[in-house]
Amino acid sequence: MRILLVEDERGVANFVKKGLEEEHYTVDHEVNGLEALNYFATNQYDLIILDIMLPAMNGIEICKKIRADGIQTPVMMLTARESVGDKVQALDSGADDYLTKPFSFDEFLARVRALLRRKKDSISELAWADLRLDVLAHKAFVADKEVILSPKEYAILQYLLRNKGRIVSRTQILENVWGYDYNPSTNVVDVHIKTLREKLGHTLSPEVIRSVRGVGYTIDVEDA
Ligand code: CA
């Protein structure tokens, strides 16, 4: 699951980003409201989290723009003020939910999960032969036995399964799993694929993740 976080308060942003990443979400973070428009124009997000008071363009305007562009991605607004007017404006601009700062991370996460569940095209389970991912719990199972994966390993596997039958490049994996904070010359994808295969390989055969020389990786559609 890939989340865009637009928040200019460093403390809040770090707290939210770190917490979401620990829960296996991929987070792109931007502080400038106007810059944020480029993110959802070029990427598909499962959730957008918007602060209201932002440099260049505020969260209400961003949300209106998102909806005017026909983007149905769930939006959660963060507001520093306990003001009824802000909440009304947030919801009227097309936000699905809002949270007043300061908030507890547990409540925030519960609301994130609720928004992702409500998402129209959301898939709660991904499967390939004996392999099954519980997308909401972020857990992987092989033959109903849980396989303990690191957050990045889990995110790669989910991304590959969502794109089953398609070849995905290392760059696509980096953008979707690491967000924009990656070093382009890194071999981190290959390293994670190797450990993923080792963890899954004990029980799954043939090899679920196939290398496509010079292109990337794929999970083939199962034989009918
Ligand atoms: Ca702010």
Side-chain angles (χ1 to χ4, degrees):
M1 296 272 181
R2 191 171 184 191
I3 296 178
L4 175 63
L5 168 67
V6 191
E7 166 63 86
D8 61 326
E9 250 176 86
R10 189 182 293 269
V12 177
N14 288 345
F15 166 73
V16 167
K17 186 170 192 287
K18 188 164 172 289
L20 285 172
E21 285 173 347
E22 279 168 9
E23 295 293 320
H24 302 199
Y25 297 102
T26 301
V27 182
D28 287 334
H29 172 225
E30 175 55 53
V31 298
N32 183 290
L34 215 48
E35 292 292 327
L37 301 183
N38 297 325
Y39 283 76
F40 63 76
T42 50
N43 299 287
Q44 276 211 325
Y45 290 99
D46 299 290
L47 175 69
I48 300 172
I49 300 168
L50 291 176
D51 184 28
I52 291 190
M53 300 296 285
L54 290 165
M57 189 173 194
N58 73 41
I60 304 279
E61 288 164 16
I62 296 170
C63 193
K64 284 183 181 162
K65 172 87 174 108
I66 289 172
R67 295 304 181 229
D69 288 354
I71 297 167
Q72 298 299 316
T73 307
V75 171
M76 189 195 305
M77 291 268 192
L78 304 178
T79 164
R81 292 169 293 181
E82 187 59 73
S83 127
V84 177
D86 268 9
K87 292 172 186 171
V88 170
Q89 261 200 313
L91 296 173
D92 280 351
S93 70
D96 300 275
D97 198 5
Y98 62 81
L99 205 50
T100 306
K101 292 187 268 188
F103 48 82
S104 88
F105 193 72
D106 284 346
E107 182 185 358
F108 169 77
L109 263 189
R111 286 170 183 267
V112 166
R113 285 193 298 266
L115 285 174
L116 292 172
R117 270 199 300 274
R118 265 189 264 159
K119 213 176 143 237
K120 275 201 207 92
D121 67 344
S122 78
I123 302 163
S124 58
E125 198 176 290
L126 290 163
W128 190 89
D130 274 353
L131 169 67
R132 184 171 63 81
L133 294 195
D134 180 333
V135 172
L136 292 172
H138 295 135
K139 287 183 175 174
F141 300 86
V142 174
D144 292 327
K145 196 171 179 301
E146 188 178 355
V147 180
I148 306 296
L149 300 179
S150 75
K152 296 296 188 215
E153 288 163 359
Y154 175 87
I156 292 172
L157 188 56
Q158 177 174 294
Y159 183 65
L160 287 168
L161 278 172
R162 276 181 150 194
N163 291 285
K164 191 161 63 176
R166 273 186 290 211
I167 299 164
V168 295
S169 68
R170 283 175 184 78
T171 306
Q172 284 174 308
I173 295 174
L174 284 167
E175 283 190 4
N176 280 277
V177 174
W178 274 265
Y180 283 113
D181 311 334
Y182 69 85
N183 168 356
S185 65
T186 179
N187 71 340
V188 73
V189 170
D190 305 278
V191 171
H192 279 72
I193 295 271
K194 184 168 178 286
T195 58
L196 248 180
R197 281 174 170 159
E198 283 166 5
K199 288 184 181 180
L200 298 172
H202 295 296
T203 34
L204 268 184
S205 141
E207 188 177 67
V208 52
I209 303 166
R210 194 163 62 81
S211 302
V212 182
R213 189 184 291 268
V215 187
Y217 295 99
T218 191
I219 290 183
D220 291 317
V221 177
E222 306 96 305
D223 294 332

